[in-house]
Amino acid sequence: MSFGRSNNDETNSDINCDSPKGIMDFLTYKVEAVYTFRDRYFENHSFDDAIHKNDDVKKLLDETLEIFEENEAAAMQNNKARYYYLRGRLLNVVPMYCKEAENLLSKAIKLDRKLVEAWNELGECYWKNDELKKSINCFEGALKERKNKVSLRNLSMLSRQDVPNSKADYTAHVEKGLNYAKEAVQMDPHDGLSWSVLGNAHLSYFFGVQQNPKILRQCISAYSQAEKDIVARSTPDLHYNKGITLRYKEEFKEALESFNQASLYDSTWEPPKKREQQLVKYLNDVVELVTTKGKLKTKKLQSLLSSIEAKQLGPYLEDTKNIVTGENRKLVKVNVKDLIPGLNELKVLLGKVVCSVRNEDTVPFTFCLLDENGDCIVVTIFNLADGRGVIIGDSVAIPEPFVKIVDFTYKSVRYNFKLLRVESPLLLAVNGKLLQRNQAAGVQMSIFKKCD
């Protein structure tokens, strides 16, 4: 009986290789060693080695397969179902779909339908092959046998990918995915992968159901918990999705750093690089358009300035209800220079739109607003229906504006501008009239999951 080569003689010495059970224990250990090597790769390798990670994992996989070949007869005699499962799980360690892995895992389940781990691995296998319905059936099959965090978090992710067209059904799917993720975290609060999935579930809720800043804070909190776990912290999609969240929190520097971090963990993966490039371009455009006041010619600017009138405040000419206290108070008209960081209570800013800022995403809608003094500020609007933005020349009144000073340097370029964030477009008075409810809407976005 041969037990092959060992990468860790001390650990192997704890396994009783003379017993039939010892064969399965040994093979189980060898499979888990491959997964540990993959998941904790950057504990012993630099980011410069990232490009070699998949090849290094494949090399260890091939070596371990030789050990399986040497011990197949004895292992099959001991526990055929578990052997098929272990070999299928071993082959499933790489990102690509493997037909042999699917066949082995299917055989394992036919022999032992209570083998939860095999159900989960087969679900992963189908997922890699874009067979989402089969994948969902596998994870649900595992849950029927035993409640477990792996099935729960995978169903959370799949519930956001296999979605219906209607808004009501979509919302139900997103909420179901959020509940699955919460259950997974409750089962093991120390599992960073489950926390990462919970962060993604909150982010899907933000885009698909309600663009509430509280939800973005919940996302960041979940991702921060995930980063405490070395396995989760080493996955590029954690940093990628965190970067997306930070981008919509308008924490631009931290978002760029997260996209860059994702690229360090997998230099061959394009989405983080693309996101970083898009955000850099967006910020460069913002700075240029604010500085040049939308690149409008002097005559056009003067025409816009002279057309700013108090009547364009519309409903904000009269007493209005305070956002925070709910009291009816008259708002005081202010200009850009009067705005302070944070909430400007009982103030209203009036100005003219001089340009919109191109954004690869539909959220937020971004434009530059010129006040009567000729000062310019960037305005971002969330929860705005697609195609419902303002246009050059529109007058816009913004009550109790929330302002942020953006000032940071990234890769030797400084970004410095004043940003006004509007959570609900229904607060805006455009050309003297409040926007209507049909101009406010949520959007949908797919959260990315890599198969590592």
Side-chain angles (χ1 to χ4, degrees), residues 72-274:
E72 179 172 321
M76 291 273 283
Q77 185 177 2
N78 177 256
N79 190 329
K80 188 180 292 186
R82 185 155 186 84
Y83 177 78
Y84 285 147
Y85 155 68
L86 287 173
R87 184 162 183 146
R89 173 166 164 76
L90 177 61
L91 291 168
N92 218 19
V93 74
V94 294
M96 298 75 68
Y97 165 76
C98 176
K99 181 64 177 177
E100 184 183 353
E102 178 190 328
N103 292 337
L104 287 165
L105 294 166
S106 297
K107 288 179 181 179
I109 291 170
K110 287 178 182 177
L111 290 169
D112 184 357
R113 299 197 57 89
K114 294 186 178 299
L115 198 53
V116 170
E117 294 83 358
W119 281 107
N120 283 332
E121 284 297 327
L122 184 57
E124 287 275 0
C125 202
Y126 283 133
W127 195 348
K128 292 177 184 179
N129 203 35
D130 292 326
E131 298 179 87
L132 301 188
K133 292 291 185 184
K134 289 183 177 180
S135 182
I136 289 171
N137 289 338
C138 286
F139 296 127
E140 289 178 343
L143 282 181
K144 288 178 183 177
E145 299 299 335
R146 185 179 76 247
K147 186 176 179 181
N148 67 94
K149 63 184 180 182
V150 175
S151 299
L152 288 168
R153 66 183 180 226
N154 281 322
L155 284 171
S156 174
M157 289 184 277
L158 283 164
S159 69
R160 299 190 295 274
Q161 294 191 15
D162 181 41
V163 295
N165 292 324
S166 76
K167 176 65 177 177
D169 288 344
Y170 178 87
T171 299
H173 271 241
V174 170
E175 289 177 341
K176 183 167 72 172
L178 182 57
N179 289 332
Y180 276 135
K182 288 179 178 178
E183 281 190 77
V185 167
Q186 289 169 358
M187 288 198 71
D188 185 357
H190 300 291
D191 190 312
L193 294 177
S194 296
W195 278 109
S196 180
V197 170
L198 179 59
N200 294 349
H202 281 306
L203 191 54
S204 289
Y205 194 91
F206 173 81
F207 282 104
V209 181
Q210 183 184 23
Q211 291 171 30
N212 186 323
K214 176 184 176 183
I215 298 171
L216 290 180
R217 292 194 293 272
Q218 291 174 320
C219 290
I220 294 299
S221 176
Y223 292 140
S224 296
Q225 289 292 333
E227 287 182 298
K228 295 177 181 178
D229 179 356
I230 181 62
V231 174
R233 190 167 68 244
S234 299
T235 58
D237 47 307
L238 167 63
H239 302 284
Y240 175 72
N241 290 325
K242 182 182 178 183
I244 291 175
T245 306
L246 290 164
R247 189 258 179 272
Y248 293 105
K249 280 182 94 270
E250 299 181 324
E251 301 288 345
F252 299 118
K253 181 181 181 181
E254 291 81 358
L256 289 168
E257 290 171 343
S258 289
F259 292 139
N260 183 63
Q261 190 80 354
S263 294
L264 290 175
Y265 280 111
D266 186 350
S267 59
T268 65
W269 190 32
E270 290 302 318
K273 298 174 186 177
K274 185 176 179 180

